[in-house]
Amino acid sequence: MSRNNEKNIRKHNNKLHKEQDRIKNAEILRKEKLKQIMKKFHDFENSTNN
């Protein structure tokens, strides 16, 4: 019997894709948080300069 049967390959690919999706979502979340922080910073800068 081969270790590389369809079931094992599918299982591995599912794990791999799940991990890749998790990493991608974390990156998107970080970018969104950075945008919010930058927006607050710029709003604060504008309010203190006026």
Side-chain angles (χ1 to χ4, degrees):
M1 297 217 5
S2 171
R3 289 186 186 189
N4 292 329
N5 61 28
E6 276 298 313
K7 184 178 176 184
N8 288 343
I9 292 171
R10 198 173 319 119
K11 192 182 216 182
H12 172 74
N13 285 341
N14 287 343
K15 280 185 180 179
L16 179 66
H17 294 148
K18 189 175 182 181
E19 183 65 19
Q20 289 172 342
D21 287 344
R22 188 185 66 79
I23 292 169
K24 189 186 293 182
N25 288 336
E27 187 176 330
I28 291 170
L29 187 62
R30 265 195 307 277
K31 286 181 181 180
E32 288 296 319
K33 285 183 179 180
L34 181 62
K35 282 181 187 177
Q36 291 174 355
I37 291 169
M38 291 303 291
K39 184 176 180 185
K40 285 182 182 179
F41 176 76
H42 289 300
D43 288 346
F44 179 76
E45 285 288 312
N46 289 336
S47 67
T48 57
N49 287 340
N50 291 334

